[in-house]
Amino acid sequence: MHELLWLVPLLPLLGSATLMLGAGRLSIRTEATIGALSVGLAAILAFSIAAGFLADPPAGSVYQQTLWHWLNVGGFSAEMGLRLDPLSLVMMLVITGVGFLIHLFATEYMEGEEGYGRFFAHLNLFVAAMLLLVLADNFLALYTGWEGVGLGSYLLIGFWWRAPANGLAARKAFIVTRIGDTALLLGLLLIASQLGTLNIADAMQHATQSWPVGSHLATLAAFLLLGGAVGKSAQLPLQTWLPDAMAGPTPVSALIHAATMVTAGVYLIARTHALFLLAPAALLTVGIIGGATLLLAGFSALAQNDIKRILAYSTMSQIGYMFLALGVGAWDAALFHLMTHAFFKALLFLSAGAITMRLHHEQDIFKLGGLARRLPVAFWSFLIGSAALAALPLVTAGFYSKEAILSGAWADGTSGRVLWLAGVVGAFMTGLYIFRAVFIVFFGEEHGHVSGRYGWRIITPLAVLSVLAVLGGLIELPPIFGHVTLLSNLLAPVLPATREVTDITPLLLASLAALLGIALAAVFYWRPTQRPTETPLWRFWHAAGGFDWLYDRVLVRPVLWAARVNSDDFIDSFYDFIAWLTKAVHQQVRRTQNGRVRWYTAGLAIGSVSLIAMAVLL
C-alpha cells in the first residue's frame, strides 16, 4: 500500500479541482458528495497505508517516494517527494480522519449557503495542502504545502466575502502569517546554501555533522524556522490573526484549529528537532513563547463573550502547551497533545456550530442560555469536549496528554520548572474559562426559540469525536497508570525519547489546578449569570493584551502615513513617463488608421518594396 501514498494528498486536490471546474453546473448533492467523499477516500487510504506500515514497517521505518525532479544545476538537485515515517503517519491520520468528520458535518451545516460548492472546493484544497506539508520529504514540497495552507486559510476565512469585516479578517490572517513565512523562507535558503540540500533528513544529518552545538548558523537557522512556526501556529508575537479568523464558517474554524493550519508550526519544529537541539537558545525560546502564549490566551479567553472567540483563544493556549513541550524536549508529549487536541477541539467547534445553527448563528454566550434541556446532543458533546480541554482527571484524553507535557517540563530542571508553573496556571485558567462558557450557555437564563432537529451528518461526527475525546488518551499512559506507551514507541525512530517522570507531584498539582478552575467557574457562573462589568482590566484582556492596538500604532499607521506622504515620489515619475510615452506613441500610430484606402494601399506598396529591397541588398 505504500506505493499509493501519493494518492492521499491527490484525492482532495482532485476533489477541489472538480468542484472548481464544475462551478454552477453541479447539484448541491453532487458538490457535497465530491467534497466529503474525496477526503473520506483519502482517510480510508491513509488508514490502510498505516495498517500496512505498522504490520510490516519498511527499512528504518521510512518510506520515500519521489514524485518528480525539479532541478539539477551545478551539482545541486531538488525533488518533489513524499516521506512516510511515524511522525508524518500520525499527522496524516489526524488530518484525514478529523478532516473527514468536519467535511461530513459541513455538508449539512452549510446547506442553503451561497457558494456551497466553492466552500468545499476551498476546504478540499486546504486539506490537500496540509497533507503535502506533513508528507513532504524535502523543504521544497514542505514550503509548497505551507503556502497552500496560507492560501486556503485566506479563501476560507473570507468565505462570506460580502461582509467587509470578513475580507479584512482574511487579509489580516494572510499578511500576519506572511511575516512568519518570510522568516521560514530565509531559513530554508540558509539551510540549502550552507548544507547543500533541500532534503529534510539529509539536511538534519549534515547540520548535526557540520555545526557544533551553539553554532551561530544553527541558531540563526533555528530562529528563522521558529519565525515561520509562530506565524502559522498563532503564537506570540504573531498571534493576532487567529481570533479574527472566526469570521469564517464554523467548520472552517474547526479545521484550522483542530487538524491543519495551527498545528503546522508544531510539526515543523518536531520535524527539524535535530536543528533545534544544536541551538539551545532557540529551543528555550520555543518553550518560553509557548508558556507566555498559553497564559495570555487563557486570560483573554476568560474575557470573551463570543463562544467561537473563547474557543479560538483556547486553541492559542493549547498550541502554547505544545510549544512548551517542544521547548523542554518532550517531543512525543507535544505530538500526543496535538492528536488529542484535534479530537476535542474539533468536537468543541462543531458543537458550537450545532448550537448556533439552531439559534440564527447567535454567538454571544449571554444570549444562548438554558440549552442543556433544549439541545441535548449539542450539550453533551460540548460538555465532553470542555472536560477534555480542561484535562478533567482520569476520564478525558486531554488529561493524559497535558500530564505528559507538564511531567516533561517538571523533569527539565530549573527553566522547565518555571514553564511547568506556567502550565499549571494555564490548566487552572482553562478549567475556569471553558466551564464559564458551559454554565452560561447551557444552564443560564433561556433566550429565544430553538427549533429543528439534527440530521445524521451532524450527529455522527459529534458522536465519533466524543468517543475519541474520552478514549483517545489511553494510547499513552504515565507510569502510575500502567505505563502504556504506544505512541512513544511508534515515534521512537524519528524523535528523541522524553525523560520519564515517576514523581506524582506534578500530576496531582496539575489535576488540582484544573479541578479548582472548574469549581470556581461553577461558583461564579452558575445561574443566574450577568454580563461582566467592563473594567479597565477586563477590557485589557478582552483585547488580548492590546497587541492589535500596539501593532496598529507602531506598524500599520506609520506605513500608511509614509505611503500617503510618499505617494508622488520620483519612482512614480518613471512610471508616469512610461504611461505618457505609451499614450504619445499611440496618438501617432492612430493617425495611420484614417479610413482612406489609398493611404492603406500606398503603405502596403511601400512596405513590400522595402522588404524586397532589404532581401536583395542584405
Side-chain angles (χ1 to χ4, degrees):
M1 293 294 290
H2 300 161
E3 299 79 13
L4 300 179
L5 182 63
W6 59 278
L7 276 175
V8 177
L10 182 63
L11 285 169
L13 183 61
L14 288 176
S16 177
T18 303
L19 290 168
M20 290 181 184
L21 294 173
R25 294 184 290 274
L26 301 175
S27 66
I28 290 178
R29 184 172 182 177
T30 301
E31 291 172 336
T33 301
I34 293 173
L37 187 61
S38 62
V39 179
L41 291 175
I44 293 172
L45 181 58
F47 278 89
S48 300
I49 292 173
F53 185 93
L54 297 176
D56 185 20
S61 295
V62 175
Y63 173 74
Q64 290 183 284
Q65 188 175 62
T66 301
L67 301 180
W68 64 81
H69 295 274
W70 181 49
L71 60 82
N72 190 347
V73 178
F76 180 84
S77 61
E79 302 169 340
M80 288 291 285
L82 304 179
R83 175 189 177 93
L84 184 66
D85 63 14
L87 177 56
S88 58
L89 178 68
V90 171
M91 295 297 298
M92 177 179 68
L93 296 179
V94 170
I95 294 165
T96 56
V98 176
F100 169 67
L101 295 174
I102 294 171
H103 274 71
L104 182 61
F105 182 96
T107 58
E108 182 172 336
Y109 180 88
M110 295 297 293
E111 281 184 349
E113 293 288 347
E114 179 186 2
Y116 189 80
R118 173 169 57 90
F119 173 81
F120 282 102
H122 296 163
L123 210 62
N124 281 185
L125 176 64
F126 196 54
V127 171
M130 189 66 190
L131 285 169
L132 177 60
L133 191 160
V134 300
L135 291 173
D137 79 335
N138 60 77
F139 288 119
L140 171 65
L142 184 148
Y143 193 72
T144 302
W146 190 275
E147 290 302 311
V149 168
L151 172 62
S153 68
Y154 170 77
L155 295 172
L156 289 167
I157 294 169
F159 175 75
W160 285 317
W161 54 272
R162 295 187 186 277
N166 295 344
L168 180 62
R171 292 194 299 274
K172 182 178 181 180
F174 193 79
I175 293 170
V176 173
T177 56
R178 287 294 75 71
I179 299 171
D181 294 354
T182 303
L184 174 61
L185 179 59
L186 293 174
L188 299 186
L189 292 174
L190 174 63
I191 290 172
S193 62
Q194 296 298 315
L195 302 178
T197 181
L198 285 172
N199 183 277
I200 299 174
D202 291 344
M204 295 303 100
Q205 183 179 4
H206 293 172
T208 303
Q209 295 172 350
S210 305
W211 293 338
V213 175
S215 163
H216 295 307
L217 286 175
T219 302
L220 178 59
F223 270 110
L224 288 171
L225 265 57
L226 176 58
V230 299
K232 275 291 187 288
S233 292
Q235 299 292 286
L236 284 167
L238 299 179
Q239 81 288 358
T240 56
W241 67 269
L242 191 61
D244 292 342
M246 297 302 96
T250 300
V252 172
S253 304
L255 193 59
I256 289 176
H257 289 247
T260 54
M261 185 168 176
V262 296
T263 60
V266 179
Y267 169 79
L268 176 67
I269 296 175
R271 174 59 76 192
T272 59
H273 67 273
L275 177 63
F276 281 86
L277 290 174
L278 297 175
L283 191 60
L284 177 61
T285 304
V286 172
I288 293 173
I289 287 174
T293 304
L294 72 88
L295 291 177
L296 170 70
F299 283 102
S300 299
L302 190 59
Q304 305 302 314
N305 298 331
D306 184 304
I307 189 169
K308 286 182 65 177
R309 290 181 73 88
I310 293 172
L311 298 180
Y313 281 109
S314 78
T315 298
M316 287 171 53
S317 180
Q318 298 309 302
I319 299 296
Y321 273 105
M322 298 175 208
F323 269 62
L324 188 154
L326 295 171
V328 298
W331 311 100
D332 50 359
L335 269 294
F336 184 27
H337 196 57
L338 184 152
M339 182 190 71
T340 61
H341 176 260
F343 301 152
F344 62 72
K345 186 50 60 67
L347 177 62
L348 283 168
F349 268 110
L350 296 187
S351 301
I355 294 168
T356 58
M357 70 184 293
R358 291 288 174 255
L359 286 101
H360 310 289
H361 295 283
E362 178 60 64
Q363 296 178 187
D364 189 332
I365 60 175
F366 290 98
K367 297 179 182 179
L368 299 174
L371 296 180
R373 177 180 56 83
R374 296 187 289 170
L375 293 177
V377 171
F379 165 62
W380 285 108
S381 56
F382 195 92
L383 180 62
I384 292 171
S386 299
L389 173 63
L392 190 67
L394 304 181
V395 295
T396 63
F399 164 73
Y400 295 106
S401 59
K402 194 173 290 186
E403 185 279 333
I405 291 174
L406 295 178
S407 294
W410 180 271
D412 194 51
T414 304
S415 60
R417 296 289 173 91
V418 174
L419 294 175
W420 171 86
L421 181 60
V424 171
V425 174
F428 165 76
M429 293 301 302
T430 303
L432 180 59
Y433 71 67
I434 194 59
F435 274 88
R436 167 183 178 260
V438 169
F439 293 133
I440 293 174
V441 170
F442 295 104
F443 300 101
E445 182 181 352
E446 294 187 4
H447 296 279
H449 175 67
V450 178
S451 61
R453 303 181 65 181
Y454 299 122
W456 69 272
R457 291 173 292 170
I458 295 291
I459 295 175
T460 302
L462 295 179
V464 173
L465 289 169
S466 295
V467 173
L468 292 173
V470 173
L471 302 180
L474 299 182
I475 66 170
E476 191 80 7
L477 301 181
I480 190 175
F481 297 115
H483 204 249
V484 178
T485 56
L486 298 179
L487 185 64
S488 296
N489 291 339
L490 174 63
L491 294 172
V494 290
L495 290 176
T498 300
R499 302 180 188 88
E500 289 192 358
V501 177
T502 56
D503 189 351
I504 196 174
T505 302
L507 172 64
L508 289 177
L509 292 177
S511 300
L512 289 174
L515 292 173
L516 179 60
I518 296 172
L520 284 180
V523 171
F524 290 113
Y525 300 109
W526 192 267
R527 56 183 179 183
T529 53
Q530 297 179 348
R531 192 174 293 275
T533 303
E534 295 189 5
T535 63
L537 182 60
W538 183 90
R539 287 192 291 270
F540 175 78
W541 288 119
H542 182 73
F547 276 88
D548 277 314
W549 177 90
L550 177 65
Y551 291 167
D552 182 62
R553 282 155 178 78
V554 174
L555 300 174
V556 177
R557 292 189 181 183
V559 170
L560 293 177
W561 174 84
R564 285 193 297 268
V565 170
N566 204 35
S567 59
D568 295 322
D569 59 15
F570 73 94
I571 296 178
D572 287 340
S573 300
F574 172 74
Y575 293 103
D576 290 341
F577 170 74
I578 293 177
W580 172 85
L581 181 62
T582 302
K583 290 173 65 176
V585 171
H586 170 74
Q587 291 294 334
Q588 298 303 317
V589 174
R590 185 169 63 90
R591 294 176 181 272
T592 65
Q593 304 299 313
N594 52 22
R596 297 175 181 177
V597 179
R598 290 177 297 174
W599 285 99
Y600 295 166
T601 304
L604 287 172
I606 294 172
S608 300
V609 171
S610 299
L611 288 174
I612 293 172
M614 291 174 60
V616 172
L617 298 176
L618 299 179

